[in-house]
């Protein structure tokens, strides 16, 4: 008789689990989808590294070569680009599912790891966007990093640290490249493993109390089946988008020519909209930090109750749900206003 050695797969997939945990209609597989997209981004990103040139003179041209000259380079680049946009969406929806179903109850530390993953996902998308080094991305970088200068006292020192000198140039691109392909990815990979590990440590995916009896439990193959369906759907959407719509690429950046009206990447458009009506430090630094802090403390300050775990729109979690939805709707409305300009 063979005995199965314990491993990470079995840790995440116990022999039996409550039926509801394994149902697509509860988690929508969104955590797993975020993980799958992270893996796809890793593979396509490593392949792009063989041709990408991280210099201001060569970056945009090398991206053009990947797109038009390398065999299936267009597909590779489009999958990396769309994978990044889909990951931001999947992580945000996963977070919404967790809040609205009381999934953070009894799992507050994992909520904080999740918050760190949200920040890392946005930073990965932004650093990747800059690597294109075309006119749009480089000017957005100049404007975005100028916000750091607005921090009182330590602003100028932080600015030099981020861009690697007195002005945006070769050192900046190299720094963003290193953070994108190594620094941020490594930290995100470690946190994703920890986050997944904690799901089981916290008693598995949230379920209604009291925990269901043996009759409502299913085998691990049910969970694997749900994961496979979610993975297949994600890949179909990702490949479909990548075949249908090309990732953007403009002319190589010329930092001496400032664009009249530049647009931030879509996931930071809400900050750009705030900047139109408030001073840079308030709108570009304090407001985003306040939003992150507010979301981080939701399970600590607004809903410390275990009751309602695993229940959509549970009563004890109403205040937390209200604050989360207010933040989400404001961000979506500002983003839409930015897109429609
Ligand atoms: C790279 C990003 C992320 C990945 C790969 C990821 C992955 C996962 C996975 C695989 C699960 C279990 C299945 C599921 O609930 O769908 C999970 C659960 C969870 N995640 Fe995430 N997650 C990410 C981001 C976040 C964010 C941004 C938050 C919130 C701030 C968060 C908070 C949680 C919590 C509290 C649970 C337990 C939920 C429950 O038991 O119902 N995660 N995550």
């Amino acid at each position: 008789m063979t005995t199965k050695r314990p491993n990470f797969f079995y840790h995440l997939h116990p022999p039996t689990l409550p039926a509801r945990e394994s149902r697509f209609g509860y988690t929508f597989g969104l955590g797993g989808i975020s993980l799958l997209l992270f893996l796809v981004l890793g593979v396509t990103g490593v392949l792009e590294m063989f041709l990408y040139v991280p210099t201001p003179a060569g970056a945009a041209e090398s991206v053009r070569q990947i797109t038009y000259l390398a065999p299936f380079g267009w597909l590779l680049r489009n999958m990396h680009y769309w994978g990044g946009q889909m990951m931001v969406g999947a992580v945000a929806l996963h977070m919404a599912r967790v809040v609205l179903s009381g999934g953070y109850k009894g799992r507050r530390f994992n909520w904080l790891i999740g918050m760190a993953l949200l920040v890392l996902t946005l930073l990965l998308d932004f650093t990747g966007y800059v690597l294109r080094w075309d006119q749009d991305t480089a000017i957005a970088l100049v404007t975005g990093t100028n916000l750091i200068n607005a921090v009182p006292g330590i602003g100028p020192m932080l600015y030099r640290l981020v861009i690697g000198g007195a002005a945006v140039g070769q050192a900046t691109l190299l720094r963003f490249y290193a953070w994108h392909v190594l620094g941020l990815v490594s930290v995100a990979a470690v946190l994703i493993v920890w986050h997944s590990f904690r799901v089981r440590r916290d008693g598995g995916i949230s379920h209604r109390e009291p925990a269901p009896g043996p009759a409502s439990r299913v085998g691990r193959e049910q969970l694997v089946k749900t994961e496979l369906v979610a993975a297949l759907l994600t890949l179909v959407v990702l490949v479909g988008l990548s075949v249908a719509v090309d990732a953007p690429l403009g002319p190589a950046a010329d930092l001496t020519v400032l664009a009249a009206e530049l647009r931030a990447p879509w996931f930071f458009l809400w900050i750009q909209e705030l900047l139109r009506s408030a001073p840079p430090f308030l709108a570009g630094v304090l407001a985003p930090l306040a939003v992150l802090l507010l979301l981080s403390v939701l399970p600590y300050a607004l809903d410390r109750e275990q009751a309602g775990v695993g229940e959509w729109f549970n009563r004890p979690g109403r205040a937390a749900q209200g604050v989360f939805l207010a933040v989400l709707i404001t961000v979506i409305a500002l983003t839409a206003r930015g897109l429609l300009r």
Side-chain angles (χ1 to χ4, degrees):
M1 198 179 88
T2 56
T3 48
K4 292 194 173 93
R5 275 197 298 141
N7 63 27
F8 199 57
F9 176 82
Y10 287 124
H11 173 76
L12 298 181
H13 301 79
T16 69
L17 66 162
R20 192 156 180 268
E21 276 192 29
S22 66
R23 220 172 276 149
F24 185 74
Y26 179 53
T27 63
F28 302 101
L30 287 162
I33 289 173
S34 309
L35 169 65
L36 174 70
L37 289 169
F38 182 76
L39 296 176
V40 170
L41 284 162
V43 173
T44 50
V46 166
L47 291 174
E48 284 201 88
M49 282 173 73
F50 284 97
L51 292 174
Y52 178 76
V53 178
T55 64
E61 182 50 34
S62 68
V63 175
R64 208 173 298 283
Q65 291 194 0
I66 293 172
T67 312
Y68 298 111
L69 296 182
F72 292 101
W74 60 274
L75 184 60
L76 189 70
R77 174 166 178 246
N78 287 353
M79 282 181 71
H80 196 72
Y81 173 79
W82 285 114
Q85 315 320 307
M86 282 174 64
M87 184 162 164
V88 173
V91 168
L93 288 174
H94 169 55
M95 195 174 171
R97 192 288 289 172
V98 169
V99 178
L100 300 180
S101 69
Y104 53 74
K105 291 168 189 261
R107 292 154 176 81
R108 291 195 296 197
F109 184 64
N110 218 10
W111 170 262
L112 290 183
I113 301 180
M115 283 302 302
L117 285 171
L118 173 72
V119 173
L120 285 165
T121 304
L122 292 173
L123 289 179
L124 273 165
D125 221 4
F126 183 67
T127 49
Y129 173 83
V130 165
L131 297 188
R132 221 157 74 201
W133 212 258
D134 61 4
Q135 195 62 4
D136 283 353
T137 60
I139 301 282
L141 169 70
V142 172
T143 321
T145 47
N146 273 339
L147 284 177
I148 304 173
N149 268 325
V151 179
I154 54 167
M157 190 195 75
L158 268 183
Y159 177 79
R160 289 182 76 91
L161 196 73
V162 172
I163 70 162
V168 166
Q170 169 69 69
T172 318
L173 178 52
L174 211 53
R175 259 174 212 208
F176 272 64
Y177 183 58
W179 276 114
H180 186 73
V181 305
L182 198 66
L184 294 169
V185 173
S186 315
V187 180
V190 170
L191 288 188
I192 287 175
V193 172
W194 196 9
H195 187 64
S196 314
F197 177 77
R198 285 291 318 194
V199 171
R200 287 259 83 79
R201 259 298 170 85
D202 291 336
I205 296 169
S206 53
H207 43 260
R208 284 206 188 106
E209 301 291 357
S216 57
R217 294 182 77 85
V218 291
R220 65 161 67 101
E221 56 295 339
Q222 191 56 41
L223 178 60
V224 173
K225 216 187 279 173
T226 301
E227 288 170 346
L228 286 179
V229 171
L232 203 67
L233 282 176
T234 308
L235 290 176
V236 167
V237 173
L238 177 60
V239 173
L241 261 176
S242 305
V243 170
V245 191
D246 280 338
L249 176 63
D254 176 358
L255 295 179
T256 57
V257 184
L258 279 175
E261 182 56 29
L262 82 117
R263 191 182 265 181
W266 67 272
F267 44 90
F268 284 155
L269 266 181
W270 63 282
I271 300 179
Q272 190 177 34
E273 284 302 304
L274 289 178
L275 282 165
R276 292 182 196 278
S277 45
F281 180 57
L282 182 63
V285 181
L286 278 188
L289 287 180
V291 167
L292 284 178
L293 186 69
L294 184 65
L295 294 178
S296 301
V297 302
L298 283 186
Y300 293 88
L302 288 184
D303 182 17
R304 300 169 63 89
E305 300 263 336
Q306 182 65 22
V309 58
E311 244 176 74
W312 288 101
F313 304 104
N314 61 89
R315 192 171 282 278
R318 292 270 163 89
Q321 294 155 24
V323 169
F324 177 80
L325 287 176
V327 169
L328 187 67
I329 291 168
T330 309
V331 168
I332 292 175
L334 288 171
T335 306
R337 199 168 79 177
L339 284 172
L340 293 174
R341 264 181 205 284

